[in-house]
Structures are given as structure tokens and as C-alpha cells.
Amino acid sequence: MEIIRTVAELKAKLDGAREKGSIGLVPTMGALHAGHLSLIQRARKENDIVVVSVFVNPTQFNNPNDLATYPRTEEADTAMLREAGVDYAFIPSVEEIYPEPDTRQFDLGPVAEVMEGAMRPGHFNGVAQIVSKLFDFTRPNRAYFGEKDFQQIAVIRRMAELEGFDIEIVDCPIKREDDGLAMSSRNVRLTPEQREVAPVIHRTLEGSLSWATDHTVEQTKRYVIDEINSFPFMQVEYYEIVDALTMQPITDWNDTDSAVGCVTVFCGDVRLIDNIKYPKRK
Ligand code: PAF
């Protein structure tokens, strides 16, 4: 595996490699865990060349404390990437990616206006900025993203459409710890007591599947919020049940064929997100 720090070097390497076969890109912010590994393994299986970027992108953080405390574990990350058979690890500095401020504003539309878009102003524009740069530098055939950030995938699809990128966006299922907690780089910031309580998020979402069969959308939202909030450290920021394509909240189960419940919960000061798909109504 080669570690690449500059855009010029990345482009030069991939220009040479492109004729030899397909390129799979896995964008990450590092602090890699088994969830990332599952994306990398899939990329490895489906492409001749695998590029993983490791870059904590400042423009997508609307909270300076979140950016400052985001875990950075480059040595462990590169060991994991080497072990996983990655060809190129792209690990640039902030100055390399943003030699000057990126002032682009993407017209991301309604998919970016709700949930994370409403709670974290500017977040998705920052995601669009970095992912469009990575797409441009790498020009991959496929790019891999985890479904834990369900709304992010819809936003990236929209950005790719706006920018005319002919790249297959591959969404990959959430990887979970044995107790159900969705794997996240932020989990390492949980205290042992918080870590013990955190699986209640997934447990409650799963419980809501049967609850939903004889309750309304509104009642199901209430159930999830009240249940999670009844545990110590836990404070739900939002729970929305949305159409899986448009990300628009539904009010009736028959409003969509594919409903997804998306939750954000503060466990202490660690912001955790998760989601669940509700089966189609007969
Ligand atoms: O999901 C993430 O880790 C980030 O938002 C991404 C896609 C790597 C862009 O910085």
C-alpha cells in the first residue's frame, strides 16, 4: 500500500493505474473500525484498484468542539488499511485540500433541508465540497458509503447528479457491535457507563417495528423518543420517519413504499445516529 499526501501524486498514480481496471473509492474521516472495513472489503471485491481517503474535513463540522475532539488515529488506520489490501491511502493535510477557502454553495435541494440539514447548518454543503473534490481527484468507477449516514448518501447522490459525476454510489449496510450499537468513530468517546446504555438506540428502533404495525407514524415517533429518553445520559435530538428516497417526513404509513426512521441521540455529549427501515405496508 502506498500512502499519498498530495493531490498531484494521487492524480499521477491513478492516471497510470486507470487503464488497468476499475477504481473503487472509500472516503473516510479515519478512526477506522469494522464498519469502514466492510466498505473496504466490498470495494476490494468489486474493483481492481482501491483508494481509501482519510481526511477529517473541517468544512462539514458546524461545531468547533466536535471537530477538535474528533478522534485521529493515523497509525492504527494505516495498519488496518495495509492489512485490508488497500492500494492507495490518500491522507492529505487541510492545506492540501483547501489551499484557499472553498466558497462553493451546492443546490442540494429538499434532501438536505431536513434532519441533519436542519440541525447542522452548512454540514451537508461541507460534505458536498469534500466528496466532490475526492471524486474529482480520484475519478473512481464506484464510491462506497455506509447507511448509518442514511441522509448523507441521498445528499451525495444529489451532488453527483448536479456535478455530472458518472460514478456508481454504493450504499452498504450498517455494521453493528454485538449488542446492536451502530459502529461509529465517535463511540470511543463514550464513557463505560454511557457505552453500556447506548445500545438502547438500536433496541428501541427494532422494538418500534412491531409497535408500528398498529400505531400511527406520530405515535411511533413518540414511542421511540420517549423510550430512548427514559434512559440515563440519553437525549433524542430528533426522530423522523421519512421516505427513503426524498428524505421528506411522512405522516401516514401509506405515504411511501419505503419508510426509514432516522434518529440522532446525544449520549452525554456524544452525538450518535442510527436508522431503521420499516417494511412496506400490505
Ligand atoms: O461519512 C463520513 O465519514 C464523511 O462525511 C465523508 C463522507 C468521509 C466526507 O468527509
Side-chain angles (χ1 to χ4, degrees), residues 27-29 55 57 60 70 123 127 130-131 145 149 152 156:
T28 81
M29 296 206 298
F55 180 66
N57 172 39
Q60 71 187 73
Y70 200 85
H123 166 66
V127 170
I130 183 61
V131 176
F145 298 92
D149 298 289
Q152 173 173 272
I156 290 169

Side-chain angles (χ1 to χ4, degrees), residues 217-251:
V217 169
E218 198 48 47
Q219 287 166 336
T220 304
K221 283 164 59 172
R222 205 59 267 161
Y223 164 81
V224 167
I225 293 168
D226 290 347
E227 180 66 16
I228 295 176
N229 282 347
S230 71
F231 284 80
F233 310 115
M234 307 300 264
Q235 186 63 52
V236 173
E237 188 177 43
Y238 64 78
Y239 184 55
E240 283 293 355
I241 299 177
V242 302
D243 174 87
L245 288 179
T246 66
M247 298 295 128
Q248 298 313 293
I250 60 166
T251 53

Side-chain angles (χ1 to χ4, degrees), residues 10-83:
L10 180 69
K11 283 183 172 171
K13 294 277 180 200
L14 294 180
D15 278 349
R18 193 163 274 110
E19 296 94 70
K20 296 194 193 107
S22 60
I23 299 176
L25 170 68
V26 184
T28 81
M29 296 206 298
L32 302 177
H33 50 67
H36 296 108
L37 198 56
S38 71
L39 308 187
I40 294 165
Q41 285 164 342
R42 174 121 181 235
R44 184 70 284 171
K45 218 179 281 166
E46 297 178 354
N47 300 277
D48 300 297
I49 298 147
V50 174
V51 182
V52 177
S53 60
V54 176
F55 180 66
V56 181
N57 172 39
T59 72
Q60 71 187 73
F61 285 81
N62 57 323
N63 175 343
N65 186 50
D66 195 19
L67 174 60
T69 57
Y70 200 85
R72 288 159 169 90
T73 58
E74 186 179 314
E75 217 172 293
D77 290 348
T78 49
M80 188 192 266
L81 296 177
R82 211 166 257 123
E83 174 89 354

Side-chain angles (χ1 to χ4, degrees), residues 88-152:
Y88 301 110
F90 178 49
I91 313 182
S93 65
V94 173
E95 296 71 34
E96 181 67 18
I97 295 293
Y98 298 111
E100 54 215 40
D102 190 340
T103 54
R104 290 174 301 159
Q105 289 293 325
F106 291 82
D107 175 18
L108 298 169
V111 291
E113 281 163 13
V114 293
M115 300 191 289
E116 293 298 279
M119 293 298 163
R120 304 178 68 188
H123 166 66
F124 281 136
N125 197 63
V127 170
Q129 288 175 338
I130 183 61
V131 176
S132 65
K133 279 177 181 271
L134 293 170
F135 281 4
D136 184 40
F137 303 152
T138 313
R139 293 198 285 119
N141 300 81
R142 300 180 189 86
Y144 295 79
F145 298 92
E147 280 189 343
K148 182 172 70 65
D149 298 289
F150 196 82
Q151 188 181 9
Q152 173 173 272

